């Protein structure tokens, strides 16, 4: 077991020496599908791409006035939490946001401060909520990224292009090779629910299996409880309006955003190749040695 632990400790170090970057590199524009695949998808490395969607009308149009006129009356799904942490650990629970139906104008009233409301409101659905709930806005963006669609042709959505329209997103990224240093624990799944007095309660999901999740806060990690995390090498980056982040499959990530930030995600297919096979091996060995 000691020999396995030593191998797992050296494995991420070798990855950093061989191909991982100390910071997230910038590209001045999109590459050809083949070149992007060779340089970034194949090596499983993140990058920030400038001028990748500079022709989108959304960059200039998507302000509160335009959105009220275009989709103000539409009813959308909104995630509501007491603190802005959706799908996160709270004590001994993995807590998901309260899903609430409201008009887009009502959401704008809250985000602009015209209506006071306790809690943090966030449109975050990952299953095509733009095309399904707000199809009126799809003419302001691309429905897919052509060069990425051509570069990827397999099953299950894990490769991510993150396009910031306004505001900015702050990412903490950790490569999958650092998996031996990332703790996991099992949590009872639950959901936030706002009571009539405005306070939030946590309601357990009935008849549900426990959820494996990372217990530490990357903004303030508890190294005494999780000493191995000292060996992880997080990479910090900020994605600003007009920039696109390529977030590769299997990378751990933590996201914060500026107030009123708007972004559009594109999910693409991950290849279940030897890269995924190796990650599963590392994860199994990490769990085995504890």
């Amino acid at each position: 077991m000691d020999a396995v632990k030593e191998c797992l400790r050296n494995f991420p170090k070798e990855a950093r020496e061989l191909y991982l970057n100390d910071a997230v590199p910038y590209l001045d524009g999109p590459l050809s599908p083949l070149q992007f695949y060779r340089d970034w998808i194949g090596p499983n490395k993140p990058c920030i791409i400038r001028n990748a969607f500079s022709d989108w009308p959304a960059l200039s149009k998507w302000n509160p006035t335009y959105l009220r006129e275009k989709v103000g009356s539409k009813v959308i799904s909104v995630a509501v939490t007491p603190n802005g942490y959706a799908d996160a650990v709270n004590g001994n629970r993995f807590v998901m946001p309260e899903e609430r139906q409201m008009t887009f104008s009502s959401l704008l009233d809250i985000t602009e401060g015209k209506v006071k409301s306790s809690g943090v409101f966030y449109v975050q659905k990952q299953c095509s909520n733009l095309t399904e709930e707000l199809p009126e806005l799809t003419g302001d963006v691309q429905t897919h990224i052509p060069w990425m669609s051509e570069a990827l042709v397999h099953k299950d959505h894990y490769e991510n292009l993150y396009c910031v329209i306004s505001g900015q997103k702050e990412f903490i990224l950790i490569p999958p090779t650092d998996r031996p240093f990332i703790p996991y624990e099992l949590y009872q799944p639950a959901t936030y629910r706002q009571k009539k007095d405005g306070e939030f309660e946590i309601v357990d999901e009935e008849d549900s299996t426990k959820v494996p999740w990372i217990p530490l806060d990357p903004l303030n990690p508890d190294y005494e409880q999780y000493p191995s995390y000292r060996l992880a090498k997080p990479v910090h980056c900020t994605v600003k309006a007009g920039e696109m982040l390529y977030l590769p499959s299997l990378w751990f990530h933590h996201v914060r955003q500026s107030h009123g930030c708007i972004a559009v995600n594109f999910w693409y297919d991950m290849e279940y190749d030897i890269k995924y096979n190796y990650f599963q091996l590392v994860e199994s060995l990490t769990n085995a040695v504890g």
Side-chain angles (χ1 to χ4, degrees), residues 191-246:
T191 305
Y192 284 115
R193 184 169 64 192
Q194 193 168 21
K195 299 184 292 185
K196 291 182 179 180
D197 62 2
E199 296 295 317
F200 284 83
E201 62 180 347
I202 295 175
V203 181
D204 285 347
E205 296 281 315
E206 296 182 1
D207 302 322
S208 56
T209 57
K210 290 192 173 182
V211 176
W213 206 255
I214 300 171
L216 63 79
D217 180 358
L219 299 174
N220 185 28
D222 186 342
Y223 292 118
E224 289 190 8
Q225 188 171 0
Y226 307 108
S228 293
Y229 187 70
R230 290 183 182 275
L231 299 174
K233 299 293 183 184
V235 178
H236 297 250
C237 68
T238 300
V239 186
K240 300 178 181 179
E243 295 180 342
M244 171 191 291
L245 171 68
Y246 166 57

Side-chain angles (χ1 to χ4, degrees), residues 29-46:
L31 306 176
S32 69
L34 179 59
Q35 188 176 358
F36 190 78
Y37 188 90
R38 286 176 172 173
D39 294 351
W40 303 99
I41 299 173
N44 196 237
K45 299 193 299 184

Side-chain angles (χ1 to χ4, degrees), residues 6 22 49 51 54 129 154 168 171:
E6 185 64 22
D22 293 329
I49 310 165
N51 305 308
S54 54
N129 68 308
H154 290 268
Q168 64 182 38
F171 286 82

Side-chain angles (χ1 to χ4, degrees), residues 126-128 144 149 152-161 247-250 253 265-272:
Q126 296 183 357
C127 298
S128 301
H144 73 109
S149 298
L152 294 163
V153 289
H154 290 268
K155 298 280 181 195
D156 297 322
H157 301 287
Y158 286 102
E159 306 284 356
N160 184 211
L161 291 177
L247 179 57
S249 57
L250 304 175
H253 55 280
N265 268 305
F266 294 88
W267 296 88
Y268 287 89
D269 298 341
M270 167 187 165
E271 291 192 42
Y272 286 93

